[in-house]
PDB file of all heavy atoms in Angstrom:
ATOM      1  N   ALA A   1     -17.349  96.596 -11.804  1.00  0.00           N
ATOM      2  CA  ALA A   1     -18.628  95.915 -11.873  1.00  0.00           C
ATOM      3  C   ALA A   1     -18.422  94.558 -12.655  1.00  0.00           C
ATOM      4  O   ALA A   1     -18.970  93.510 -12.335  1.00  0.00           O
ATOM      5  CB  ALA A   1     -19.692  96.711 -12.552  1.00  0.00           C
ATOM      6  N   SER A   2     -17.617  94.550 -13.685  1.00  0.00           N
ATOM      7  CA  SER A   2     -17.344  93.419 -14.491  1.00  0.00           C
ATOM      8  C   SER A   2     -16.564  92.425 -13.673  1.00  0.00           C
ATOM      9  O   SER A   2     -16.782  91.177 -13.757  1.00  0.00           O
ATOM     10  CB  SER A   2     -16.540  93.792 -15.727  1.00  0.00           C
ATOM     11  OG  SER A   2     -16.276  92.626 -16.499  1.00  0.00           O
ATOM     12  N   GLU A   3     -15.609  92.861 -12.812  1.00  0.00           N
ATOM     13  CA  GLU A   3     -14.875  91.963 -11.944  1.00  0.00           C
ATOM     14  C   GLU A   3     -15.770  91.304 -10.910  1.00  0.00           C
ATOM     15  O   GLU A   3     -15.675  90.129 -10.580  1.00  0.00           O
ATOM     16  CB  GLU A   3     -13.739  92.780 -11.246  1.00  0.00           C
ATOM     17  CG  GLU A   3     -12.611  93.111 -12.169  1.00  0.00           C
ATOM     18  CD  GLU A   3     -11.526  93.940 -11.499  1.00  0.00           C
ATOM     19  OE1 GLU A   3     -11.593  94.082 -10.253  1.00  0.00           O
ATOM     20  OE2 GLU A   3     -10.692  94.367 -12.211  1.00  0.00           O
ATOM     21  N   ALA A   4     -16.739  92.057 -10.412  1.00  0.00           N
ATOM     22  CA  ALA A   4     -17.704  91.513  -9.401  1.00  0.00           C
ATOM     23  C   ALA A   4     -18.582  90.458  -9.958  1.00  0.00           C
ATOM     24  O   ALA A   4     -19.099  89.622  -9.231  1.00  0.00           O
ATOM     25  CB  ALA A   4     -18.531  92.669  -8.752  1.00  0.00           C
ATOM     26  N   THR A   5     -18.789  90.460 -11.257  1.00  0.00           N
ATOM     27  CA  THR A   5     -19.599  89.425 -11.837  1.00  0.00           C
ATOM     28  C   THR A   5     -18.806  88.437 -12.710  1.00  0.00           C
ATOM     29  O   THR A   5     -19.453  87.642 -13.450  1.00  0.00           O
ATOM     30  CB  THR A   5     -20.725  90.085 -12.742  1.00  0.00           C
ATOM     31  OG1 THR A   5     -20.034  90.784 -13.793  1.00  0.00           O
ATOM     32  CG2 THR A   5     -21.621  91.044 -11.953  1.00  0.00           C
ATOM     33  N   LEU A   6     -17.514  88.496 -12.603  1.00  0.00           N
ATOM     34  CA  LEU A   6     -16.656  87.601 -13.399  1.00  0.00           C
ATOM     35  C   LEU A   6     -16.874  87.700 -14.898  1.00  0.00           C
ATOM     36  O   LEU A   6     -16.646  86.713 -15.645  1.00  0.00           O
ATOM     37  CB  LEU A   6     -16.775  86.157 -12.928  1.00  0.00           C
ATOM     38  CG  LEU A   6     -16.537  85.876 -11.436  1.00  0.00           C
ATOM     39  CD1 LEU A   6     -16.819  84.467 -11.060  1.00  0.00           C
ATOM     40  CD2 LEU A   6     -15.033  86.193 -11.106  1.00  0.00           C
ATOM     41  N   GLY A   7     -17.329  88.880 -15.348  1.00  0.00           N
ATOM     42  CA  GLY A   7     -17.555  89.045 -16.788  1.00  0.00           C
ATOM     43  C   GLY A   7     -18.921  88.505 -17.269  1.00  0.00           C
ATOM     44  O   GLY A   7     -19.149  88.486 -18.451  1.00  0.00           O
ATOM     45  N   ILE A   8     -19.675  88.002 -16.352  1.00  0.00           N
ATOM     46  CA  ILE A   8     -20.999  87.405 -16.725  1.00  0.00           C
ATOM     47  C   ILE A   8     -22.087  88.525 -16.683  1.00  0.00           C
ATOM     48  O   ILE A   8     -22.067  89.302 -15.692  1.00  0.00           O
ATOM     49  CB  ILE A   8     -21.439  86.296 -15.745  1.00  0.00           C
ATOM     50  CG1 ILE A   8     -20.367  85.214 -15.796  1.00  0.00           C
ATOM     51  CG2 ILE A   8     -22.767  85.721 -16.137  1.00  0.00           C
ATOM     52  CD1 ILE A   8     -20.536  84.182 -14.724  1.00  0.00           C
ATOM     53  N   ASP A   9     -22.950  88.567 -17.634  1.00  0.00           N
ATOM     54  CA  ASP A   9     -24.032  89.540 -17.636  1.00  0.00           C
ATOM     55  C   ASP A   9     -24.841  89.432 -16.332  1.00  0.00           C
ATOM     56  O   ASP A   9     -25.258  88.362 -15.976  1.00  0.00           O
ATOM     57  CB  ASP A   9     -24.968  89.228 -18.864  1.00  0.00           C
ATOM     58  CG  ASP A   9     -26.020  90.255 -19.049  1.00  0.00           C
ATOM     59  OD1 ASP A   9     -26.525  90.896 -18.007  1.00  0.00           O
ATOM     60  OD2 ASP A   9     -26.477  90.461 -20.161  1.00  0.00           O
ATOM     61  N   PRO A  10     -24.989  90.544 -15.598  1.00  0.00           N
ATOM     62  CA  PRO A  10     -25.756  90.527 -14.344  1.00  0.00           C
ATOM     63  C   PRO A  10     -27.190  89.935 -14.474  1.00  0.00           C
ATOM     64  O   PRO A  10     -27.679  89.262 -13.580  1.00  0.00           O
ATOM     65  CB  PRO A  10     -25.801  91.930 -13.918  1.00  0.00           C
ATOM     66  CG  PRO A  10     -24.560  92.560 -14.533  1.00  0.00           C
ATOM     67  CD  PRO A  10     -24.449  91.863 -15.886  1.00  0.00           C
ATOM     68  N   ALA A  11     -27.812  90.180 -15.624  1.00  0.00           N
ATOM     69  CA  ALA A  11     -29.168  89.584 -15.862  1.00  0.00           C
ATOM     70  C   ALA A  11     -29.089  88.075 -15.871  1.00  0.00           C
ATOM     71  O   ALA A  11     -29.992  87.407 -15.400  1.00  0.00           O
ATOM     72  CB  ALA A  11     -29.760  90.116 -17.144  1.00  0.00           C
ATOM     73  N   LEU A  12     -28.028  87.502 -16.489  1.00  0.00           N
ATOM     74  CA  LEU A  12     -27.833  86.104 -16.539  1.00  0.00           C
ATOM     75  C   LEU A  12     -27.571  85.502 -15.122  1.00  0.00           C
ATOM     76  O   LEU A  12     -28.139  84.493 -14.786  1.00  0.00           O
ATOM     77  CB  LEU A  12     -26.804  85.706 -17.468  1.00  0.00           C
ATOM     78  CG  LEU A  12     -26.374  84.259 -17.621  1.00  0.00           C
ATOM     79  CD1 LEU A  12     -27.605  83.445 -18.126  1.00  0.00           C
ATOM     80  CD2 LEU A  12     -25.216  84.043 -18.567  1.00  0.00           C
ATOM     81  N   LEU A  13     -26.762  86.240 -14.366  1.00  0.00           N
ATOM     82  CA  LEU A  13     -26.436  85.797 -13.015  1.00  0.00           C
ATOM     83  C   LEU A  13     -27.722  85.626 -12.177  1.00  0.00           C
ATOM     84  O   LEU A  13     -27.802  84.803 -11.335  1.00  0.00           O
ATOM     85  CB  LEU A  13     -25.535  86.774 -12.337  1.00  0.00           C
ATOM     86  CG  LEU A  13     -24.017  86.531 -12.625  1.00  0.00           C
ATOM     87  CD1 LEU A  13     -23.189  87.606 -11.969  1.00  0.00           C
ATOM     88  CD2 LEU A  13     -23.560  85.179 -12.212  1.00  0.00           C
ATOM     89  N   GLU A  14     -28.674  86.523 -12.396  1.00  0.00           N
ATOM     90  CA  GLU A  14     -29.931  86.473 -11.631  1.00  0.00           C
ATOM     91  C   GLU A  14     -30.692  85.155 -11.828  1.00  0.00           C
ATOM     92  O   GLU A  14     -31.461  84.760 -10.933  1.00  0.00           O
ATOM     93  CB  GLU A  14     -30.845  87.650 -11.947  1.00  0.00           C
ATOM     94  CG  GLU A  14     -30.296  88.963 -11.443  1.00  0.00           C
ATOM     95  CD  GLU A  14     -31.263  90.110 -11.731  1.00  0.00           C
ATOM     96  OE1 GLU A  14     -32.454  89.866 -11.902  1.00  0.00           O
ATOM     97  OE2 GLU A  14     -30.756  91.196 -11.765  1.00  0.00           O
ATOM     98  N   ILE A  15     -30.550  84.554 -13.000  1.00  0.00           N
ATOM     99  CA  ILE A  15     -31.316  83.333 -13.278  1.00  0.00           C
ATOM    100  C   ILE A  15     -30.564  82.060 -13.206  1.00  0.00           C
ATOM    101  O   ILE A  15     -31.138  80.986 -13.232  1.00  0.00           O
ATOM    102  CB  ILE A  15     -31.982  83.427 -14.663  1.00  0.00           C
ATOM    103  CG1 ILE A  15     -31.080  83.608 -15.764  1.00  0.00           C
ATOM    104  CG2 ILE A  15     -33.079  84.607 -14.650  1.00  0.00           C
ATOM    105  CD1 ILE A  15     -31.617  83.517 -17.167  1.00  0.00           C
ATOM    106  N   LEU A  16     -29.168  82.104 -13.137  1.00  0.00           N
ATOM    107  CA  LEU A  16     -28.395  80.915 -13.084  1.00  0.00           C
ATOM    108  C   LEU A  16     -28.626  80.264 -11.705  1.00  0.00           C
ATOM    109  O   LEU A  16     -28.650  80.867 -10.684  1.00  0.00           O
ATOM    110  CB  LEU A  16     -26.911  81.250 -13.173  1.00  0.00           C
ATOM    111  CG  LEU A  16     -26.448  81.633 -14.601  1.00  0.00           C
ATOM    112  CD1 LEU A  16     -24.954  81.954 -14.550  1.00  0.00           C
ATOM    113  CD2 LEU A  16     -26.740  80.537 -15.560  1.00  0.00           C
ATOM    114  N   ALA A  17     -28.793  78.906 -11.740  1.00  0.00           N
ATOM    115  CA  ALA A  17     -28.923  78.093 -10.563  1.00  0.00           C
ATOM    116  C   ALA A  17     -28.154  76.809 -10.689  1.00  0.00           C
ATOM    117  O   ALA A  17     -27.748  76.430 -11.860  1.00  0.00           O
ATOM    118  CB  ALA A  17     -30.407  77.778 -10.324  1.00  0.00           C
ATOM    119  N   CYS A  18     -27.904  76.192  -9.623  1.00  0.00           N
ATOM    120  CA  CYS A  18     -27.135  74.880  -9.591  1.00  0.00           C
ATOM    121  C   CYS A  18     -27.968  73.914 -10.497  1.00  0.00           C
ATOM    122  O   CYS A  18     -29.187  73.777 -10.355  1.00  0.00           O
ATOM    123  CB  CYS A  18     -27.125  74.390  -8.193  1.00  0.00           C
ATOM    124  SG  CYS A  18     -26.210  72.823  -8.013  1.00  0.00           S
ATOM    125  N   PRO A  19     -27.223  73.191 -11.326  1.00  0.00           N
ATOM    126  CA  PRO A  19     -27.864  72.249 -12.190  1.00  0.00           C
ATOM    127  C   PRO A  19     -28.396  70.978 -11.506  1.00  0.00           C
ATOM    128  O   PRO A  19     -29.183  70.250 -12.124  1.00  0.00           O
ATOM    129  CB  PRO A  19     -26.848  71.892 -13.242  1.00  0.00           C
ATOM    130  CG  PRO A  19     -25.566  72.110 -12.568  1.00  0.00           C
ATOM    131  CD  PRO A  19     -25.790  73.215 -11.606  1.00  0.00           C
ATOM    132  N   ASP A  20     -28.075  70.799 -10.281  1.00  0.00           N
ATOM    133  CA  ASP A  20     -28.589  69.589  -9.587  1.00  0.00           C
ATOM    134  C   ASP A  20     -30.064  69.892  -9.154  1.00  0.00           C
ATOM    135  O   ASP A  20     -30.483  71.081  -9.069  1.00  0.00           O
ATOM    136  CB  ASP A  20     -27.757  69.350  -8.317  1.00  0.00           C
ATOM    137  CG  ASP A  20     -27.810  67.928  -7.802  1.00  0.00           C
ATOM    138  OD1 ASP A  20     -28.664  67.169  -8.349  1.00  0.00           O
ATOM    139  OD2 ASP A  20     -27.025  67.533  -6.915  1.00  0.00           O
ATOM    140  N   THR A  21     -30.832  68.908  -8.956  1.00  0.00           N
ATOM    141  CA  THR A  21     -32.237  69.032  -8.672  1.00  0.00           C
ATOM    142  C   THR A  21     -32.475  69.780  -7.318  1.00  0.00           C
ATOM    143  O   THR A  21     -31.925  69.527  -6.321  1.00  0.00           O
ATOM    144  CB  THR A  21     -32.963  67.661  -8.569  1.00  0.00           C
ATOM    145  OG1 THR A  21     -32.558  66.924  -9.760  1.00  0.00           O
ATOM    146  CG2 THR A  21     -34.429  67.743  -8.519  1.00  0.00           C
ATOM    147  N   HIS A  22     -33.452  70.750  -7.408  1.00  0.00           N
ATOM    148  CA  HIS A  22     -33.905  71.582  -6.248  1.00  0.00           C
ATOM    149  C   HIS A  22     -32.850  72.209  -5.511  1.00  0.00           C
ATOM    150  O   HIS A  22     -32.803  72.277  -4.235  1.00  0.00           O
ATOM    151  CB  HIS A  22     -34.665  70.630  -5.276  1.00  0.00           C
ATOM    152  CG  HIS A  22     -35.750  69.861  -5.893  1.00  0.00           C
ATOM    153  ND1 HIS A  22     -36.899  70.417  -6.427  1.00  0.00           N
ATOM    154  CD2 HIS A  22     -35.914  68.521  -6.139  1.00  0.00           C
ATOM    155  CE1 HIS A  22     -37.654  69.546  -6.990  1.00  0.00           C
ATOM    156  NE2 HIS A  22     -37.072  68.338  -6.782  1.00  0.00           N
ATOM    157  N   HIS A  23     -31.912  72.863  -6.202  1.00  0.00           N
ATOM    158  CA  HIS A  23     -30.858  73.681  -5.556  1.00  0.00           C
ATOM    159  C   HIS A  23     -31.066  75.093  -5.759  1.00  0.00           C
ATOM    160  O   HIS A  23     -32.005  75.613  -6.390  1.00  0.00           O
ATOM    161  CB  HIS A  23     -29.462  73.173  -6.031  1.00  0.00           C
ATOM    162  CG  HIS A  23     -29.146  71.810  -5.453  1.00  0.00           C
ATOM    163  ND1 HIS A  23     -28.006  71.666  -4.697  1.00  0.00           N
ATOM    164  CD2 HIS A  23     -29.735  70.659  -5.497  1.00  0.00           C
ATOM    165  CE1 HIS A  23     -28.000  70.425  -4.243  1.00  0.00           C
ATOM    166  NE2 HIS A  23     -29.010  69.770  -4.730  1.00  0.00           N
ATOM    167  N   SER A  24     -30.159  75.890  -5.232  1.00  0.00           N
ATOM    168  CA  SER A  24     -30.304  77.329  -5.061  1.00  0.00           C
ATOM    169  C   SER A  24     -29.715  78.114  -6.231  1.00  0.00           C
ATOM    170  O   SER A  24     -28.876  77.595  -6.971  1.00  0.00           O
ATOM    171  CB  SER A  24     -29.530  77.733  -3.806  1.00  0.00           C
ATOM    172  OG  SER A  24     -30.003  77.035  -2.637  1.00  0.00           O
TER     173      SER A  24
END
């Protein structure tokens, strides 16, 4: 599970988005 998320908390992954305007 940790490998699938690169060690990033899954809750954080849910909210991370591209820092450019209006991206995914």
